[in-house]
Amino acid sequence: MVKKPRPLVELVATGRYLPERILTNQDLERMVDTSDEWIRERTGIRERRIAGPDEGAAFMGAEAARRAMAKAGVEPGEVDILVVSTATPDRWLPSTACDIQALIGASNAMAFDISAACPGWLFGLSVAEGYIAAGRGEIALVVATEKMSAIIDWEDRATCVLFGDGAGAGVLRRTSGDRGILSSHHKSDGTLANLLYRPAGGALVPMTHEVLDRKDHFVKMAGREVFKNAVRSMAEGADLALSRAGLTGADIDLLVPHQANLRIIDATAKYAGIPQEKVYVNVDRYGNMSSASIPVALDEALERKVVGPGSLVLAVAFGAGFTWSGMTLRL
Ligand code: ACO
């Protein structure tokens, strides 16, 4: 019998920002050799949001952060640690976290980015949890913000139909109560990095005319291999997060999975023994927003009162690296 863990931090509130522009599958039919039917059957996606030229990772992340802080009743100056997950920083230097810090006025925070692809928001929650648990601060802001449209080859039908833009955020606070993060499992396997990656554009192979011509600055993905690993790893994330909290799928009020592909979501829910009506799905409306997917889904679920204070949530994610996570939370 696993001893029920006591949470160290509570998720006080969440927020989200989604660009207004919608790109439908029908729009994509006019751009590449694809069909609405293929996209819906293979992925579950119908449309996705595309950020405008002024909507960068920092802008979207700051909007999501402001909304989360307003709901939490937290002033920017109270934030001790600001963690930002992004695979699409506005620029290499400084971090997107520092740009968000300046935009929202979180002047007392330590601000930095983490790079963990799709599970990045869950990685960020655990990093902030550890910081607070170590007694270094009281309040954390964890933001995930992704402008995936900027790193996608819009002529590659195998990838361009999958992704969308958006941002989500959560405010964490030290707690002595029974609501908050109950358990987590995070893992990475760098040996499989080249199954989902951007070959160039970093410091090793900087941007050149040749890189641009070869389109090596765009995301490359071995879809079928990624799919198989995603199903396996999300099952592991669900398994270990549940068992570490002394829970089973039957205890969970809502599964909030990473929104990459409806077939991966269904396989994860089935494995964890969670019925479809307890699975939050918005991949149909937003596509894969990488690390922003989970906080956006959680924020929507809270707003729609699918869950509320006291609900038990299981979040699971998988992404480039490979990286994967499972986490249980009592809201
Ligand atoms: N429209 C029409 N046909 C297409 C398209 C498209 N958009 N894309 C690929 N095809 C074709 C292929 O060319 C192929 O044709 P062929 O058989 O003649 O060669 C056929 O469809 C099948 O292609 P597959 O790639 O094998 O299709 P699959 O069923 O595997 O679905 C998909 C592809 C949706 C990408 C799937 O593999 C997948 O979801 N993978 C996981 C993605 C994921 O989870 N990513 C998460 C991490 S993302 C991150 O970390 C940023």
Side-chain angles (χ1 to χ4, degrees), residues 72-231:
V74 162
E75 293 298 324
E78 294 179 83
V79 175
D80 298 305
I81 173 170
L82 167 51
V83 185
V84 174
S85 162
T86 185
T88 57
D90 288 349
R91 44 194 177 164
W92 290 120
L93 211 65
S95 67
T96 301
C98 285
D99 286 335
I100 291 177
Q101 176 185 35
L103 285 170
I104 65 175
S107 49
N108 295 314
M110 167 174 82
F112 61 95
D113 287 0
I114 57 170
S115 171
C118 304
W121 192 67
L122 299 179
F123 273 51
L125 290 185
S126 284
V127 169
E129 177 193 30
Y131 187 78
I132 292 174
R136 305 281 190 256
E138 296 294 319
I139 294 179
L141 180 58
V142 183
V143 179
T145 179
E146 307 283 9
K147 188 168 179 170
M148 298 304 289
S149 61
I151 59 168
I152 296 304
D153 178 357
W154 287 99
E155 293 176 348
D156 174 18
R157 68 177 183 172
T159 51
C160 77
V161 303
L162 303 175
F163 297 96
D165 301 334
V171 175
L172 290 180
R173 193 201 301 264
R174 180 194 301 281
T175 185
S176 52
D178 59 1
R179 288 162 51 189
I181 297 175
L182 301 177
S183 67
S184 56
H185 168 66
H186 303 288
K187 192 86 192 292
S188 310
D189 183 355
T191 64
L192 300 173
N194 287 1
L195 294 176
L196 175 50
Y197 74 129
R198 292 173 68 193
L204 182 64
V205 188
M207 204 68 91
T208 59
H209 291 292
E210 290 73 28
V211 165
L212 288 173
D213 290 344
R214 286 198 307 270
K215 298 186 171 191
D216 272 353
H217 55 306
F218 289 133
V219 171
K220 314 283 177 209
M221 180 168 80
R224 211 165 279 180
E225 288 307 310
V226 175
F227 189 97
K228 278 188 264 175
N229 280 281
V231 170

Side-chain angles (χ1 to χ4, degrees), residues 20-32:
E20 273 185 20
R21 186 180 156 213
I22 293 172
L23 186 75
T24 64
N25 290 351
Q26 287 74 19
D27 295 329
L28 282 163
E29 284 176 350
R30 292 187 283 275
M31 295 163 61
V32 289

Side-chain angles (χ1 to χ4, degrees), residues 32-36 38-39 42-43 45 87 116-119 146 148 151 156-163 196 219 221-228 230-231 234 258-264 288-291 318-323:
V32 289
D33 179 17
T34 190
S35 68
D36 171 50
W38 191 96
I39 302 170
R42 299 292 178 115
T43 71
I45 301 167
C118 304
E146 307 283 9
M148 298 304 289
I151 59 168
D156 174 18
R157 68 177 183 172
T159 51
C160 77
V161 303
L162 303 175
F163 297 96
L196 175 50
V219 171
M221 180 168 80
R224 211 165 279 180
E225 288 307 310
V226 175
F227 189 97
K228 278 188 264 175
V231 170
M234 283 175 65
H258 173 50
Q259 309 279 322
N261 183 313
L262 195 52
R263 291 184 291 148
I264 299 174
N288 180 349
M289 296 184 289
S290 189
S291 65
F318 173 85
F322 290 144
T323 51

